[in-house]
């Protein structure tokens, strides 16, 4: 079974530009999460989808970040315009709806560098 | 919200020795505590977890202990091997789906 995949693996952009990150969850997983790790710090929760609906977006830093999950399958996270402090590793995770969302399966992450 | 502190940030051990990583949490409502291992170039992977109604759990060379009163939990790795070298994250869950992570511990096992 394929795991969570993320694209791209790395992205280097200049301040003010736009970047879109993509996540493909494990097939059949209705829960999808975005997290971010800024260098050396904790992995921080950004938001949680159940199918195509946003259940919790309390961790989104500001309105420059927009997450979507059209059709309840893959998800995108857009940063527009990017700022220096947005640099970090963005992880996507997924889990099945049953089971109380215990184990979250993580993708390899997208390393974003804003210059 | 939940705040998870993790120590140490780096840990170097001789192969065959034990490694211990400690975490504290702030929200007494947290009820699920997973540990994730992240190897180079990969995403975090669950290695063991414990629920608030259990004090200790063991799986081969790894074990986790939980002290609800003190709000701290620990990961123990015995007989460390080179493949145990990785970044380890503790986490706590208060809401049904949201995990709060520690800052990670980079473990290096010296041959």
């Amino acid at each position: 079974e394929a795991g969570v995949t993320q694209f791209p693996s790395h992205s280097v952009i200049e301040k003010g530009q736009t970047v879109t990150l993509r996540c493909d969850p494990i097939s059949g997983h209705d829960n999808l999460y975005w997290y971010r790790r800024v260098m050396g710090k904790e992995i921080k929760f950004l938001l949680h989808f159940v199918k195509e609906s946003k259940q919790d977006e309390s961790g989104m830093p500001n309105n420059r970040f927009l997450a979507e999950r059209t059709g309840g399958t893959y998800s995108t996270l857009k940063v527009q315009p990017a700022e220096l402090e947005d640099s970090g590793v963005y992880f996507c995770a997924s889990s099945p709806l049953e089971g109380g969302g215990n184990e979250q399966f993580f993708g390899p992450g997208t390393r974003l560098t804003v210059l | 919200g939940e705040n998870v502190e993790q120590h140490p940030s780096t840990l170097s051990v001789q192969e065959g020795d034990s490694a211990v990583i400690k975490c504290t949490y702030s929200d007494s409502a947290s009820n699920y505590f997973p540990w994730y291992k992240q190897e180079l170039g990969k995403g975090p992977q669950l290695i063991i977890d414990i629920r608030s109604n259990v004090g200790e759990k063991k799986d081969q060379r790894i074990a986790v202990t939980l002290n609800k009163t003190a709000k701290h939990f620990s990961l123990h790795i015995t007989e460390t091997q080179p493949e145990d070298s990785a970044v380890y994250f503790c986490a706590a869950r208060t809401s049904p789906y949201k995990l709060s992570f520690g800052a990670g511990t980079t473990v290096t096992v010296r041959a």
Side-chain angles (χ1 to χ4, degrees):
Chain A
E1 178 183 284
V4 177
T5 58
Q6 293 186 244
F7 183 83
S9 57
H10 294 82
S11 181
V12 181
I13 61 172
E14 293 192 351
K15 176 182 171 181
Q17 289 186 321
T18 296
V19 64
T20 300
L21 314 181
R22 173 172 169 142
C23 167
D24 286 80
I26 292 172
S27 177
H29 282 191
D30 289 329
N31 290 306
L32 187 149
Y33 318 82
W34 283 98
Y35 290 86
R36 176 175 74 174
R37 188 185 191 209
V38 173
M39 191 189 323
K41 297 195 174 180
E42 71 273 23
I43 300 173
K44 275 194 153 178
F45 170 87
L46 296 179
L47 88 160
H48 167 220
F49 284 99
V50 175
K51 299 184 181 179
E52 66 276 6
S53 300
K54 291 177 188 174
Q55 289 295 113
D56 182 352
E57 49 184 330
S58 61
M60 294 288 262
N62 50 61
N63 59 11
R64 294 185 294 102
F65 289 75
L66 175 64
E68 294 180 319
R69 191 181 183 195
T70 308
T73 54
Y74 70 92
S75 175
T76 58
L77 179 64
K78 182 193 287 188
V79 185
Q80 179 182 32
E83 298 289 343
L84 299 179
E85 63 265 24
D86 300 333
S87 295
V89 180
Y90 289 77
F91 291 106
C92 174
S94 71
S95 69
L97 205 53
E98 294 85 28
N102 288 336
E103 180 173 1
Q104 296 183 16
F105 296 82
F106 280 76
T110 293
R111 181 174 296 278
L112 174 65
T113 303
V114 183
L115 303 176
Chain B
E2 175 65 278
N3 182 44
V4 178
E5 299 281 341
Q6 181 172 349
H7 300 280
S9 57
T10 61
L11 181 59
S12 179
V13 296
Q14 189 71 37
E15 183 177 357
D17 287 351
S18 295
V20 180
I21 303 170
K22 297 183 179 181
C23 291
T24 60
Y25 61 98
S26 60
D27 191 337
S28 56
S30 290
N31 58 13
Y32 173 68
F33 306 89
W35 285 86
Y36 281 81
K37 175 184 181 181
Q38 185 184 11
E39 296 175 320
L40 207 59
K42 297 183 180 180
Q45 182 177 12
L46 180 73
I47 54 172
I48 194 167
D49 56 15
I50 191 167
R51 298 182 188 288
S52 57
N53 58 350
V54 175
E56 184 173 356
K57 184 176 178 181
K58 193 173 181 181
D59 183 5
Q60 299 182 359
R61 294 186 298 107
I62 59 173
V64 59
T65 59
L66 171 64
N67 183 326
K68 282 177 56 181
T69 304
K71 289 191 276 189
H72 65 70
F73 55 116
S74 301
L75 177 72
H76 304 251
I77 307 173
T78 59
E79 300 171 23
T80 52
Q81 300 170 4
E83 55 264 35
D84 295 328
S85 295
V87 181
Y88 291 80
F89 294 94
C90 63
R93 187 185 71 192
T94 304
S95 67
Y97 297 99
K98 184 174 167 179
L99 293 176
S100 297
F101 284 87
T105 297
T106 301
V107 174
T108 304
V109 179
R110 307 187 306 272

